[in-house]
Amino acid sequence: MILIALIAVVSYLVGSLPIGYLAGRIAGVDVRALGSGNVGATNVTRVLGKKFGYPVFLLDAGKGLVAVEVAKTVIASSGRSALSTELCGIIAAAFAVIGHTNSIWLGFKGGKGVATSIGAMFALNWLCALIVGLVWIVTFFMTRYVSLASIVAAVALPVTIATMFFLKALPSAAQLYFSLCLAIIVIFRHRSNLSRLASGTEPRFVRK
């Protein structure tokens, strides 16, 4: 139990690292006061360009990936079962995403959790992450809405996991339950975008 609590705390702290905010400070601005005010990779790209935005996306995804891989390695090395390793990986993923969306360094505010979720899912289930990533890419290039692509990908996540589970490609339903929670978090974080999409005021991502 102590080990699980430690994994949760460390994963939260890893996830809470405000990469987008730090990138803005390096560039001499506070990204929270520009664009959408979000510290995620999308707003950083809009405000500072891809020179800053792409690395922020990779580092935000890396937070989820590192948190899960460290947790899995620690649990596996302790001689626990494969199911215990998977469950602790899921716990690490959840707390990394929570840390990103509610960073202790930003007054418990943060990004929308998409990049960190992708990184965590790659560590948990790379095939599912690849499928969902392709869904995001296709939706984005068809619509040029980052928010819509993220929402559609969030919905695709539990659908993909459910399909894999019913095809007996997964040992348990743990990832399915986690993917449902993750999808709810991501969609909830995009509720303002949903309102703007419905009213036709959501800005498309335009390459400058």
Side-chain angles (χ1 to χ4, degrees):
M1 186 62 68
I2 294 176
L3 184 57
I4 293 175
L6 183 60
I7 286 172
V9 171
V10 171
S11 299
Y12 171 81
L13 292 175
V14 170
S16 68
L17 293 172
I19 304 298
Y21 172 78
L22 293 175
R25 284 305 187 189
I26 291 172
V29 300
D30 186 345
V31 294
R32 297 175 300 177
L34 300 170
S36 66
N38 192 269
V39 295
T42 300
N43 193 46
V44 172
T45 303
R46 281 199 179 104
V47 173
L48 302 175
K50 62 183 181 181
K51 178 181 178 180
F52 285 90
Y54 291 1
V56 166
F57 174 84
L58 292 175
L59 289 172
D60 278 345
K63 294 189 299 185
L65 180 67
V66 168
V68 174
E69 288 295 346
V70 168
K72 288 167 60 179
T73 300
V74 169
I75 296 300
S77 64
S78 68
R80 307 292 177 87
S81 67
L83 180 58
S84 295
T85 300
E86 181 186 35
L87 290 175
C88 286
I90 289 172
I91 290 171
F95 276 89
V97 174
I98 292 170
H100 178 77
T101 57
N102 300 272
S103 173
I104 190 173
W105 313 113
L106 300 176
F108 297 100
K109 296 180 180 180
K112 296 184 177 178
V114 176
T116 305
S117 297
I118 290 173
M121 282 309 305
F122 261 107
L124 289 171
N125 188 329
W126 68 267
L127 179 57
C128 174
L130 182 62
I131 292 171
V132 173
L134 289 174
V135 169
W136 190 98
I137 291 171
V138 170
T139 305
F140 172 71
F141 280 103
M142 287 179 62
T143 66
R144 306 302 294 185
Y145 286 120
V146 175
S147 57
L148 181 60
S150 299
I151 292 166
V152 172
V155 173
L157 175 59
V159 173
T160 304
I161 291 289
T163 302
M164 295 179 72
F165 176 69
F166 287 116
L167 291 176
K168 302 187 183 302
L170 296 174
S172 73
Q175 288 188 32
L176 176 57
Y177 300 136
F178 170 66
S179 66
L180 286 168
C181 294
L182 201 58
I184 290 171
I185 291 173
V186 171
I187 293 171
F188 178 77
R189 296 290 294 180
H190 283 83
R191 60 192 184 281
S192 60
N193 302 90
L194 282 169
S195 297
R196 290 194 294 270
L197 284 167
S199 63
T201 58
E202 177 76 349
R204 296 178 189 269
F205 192 92
V206 180
R207 182 175 297 178
K208 296 181 180 179

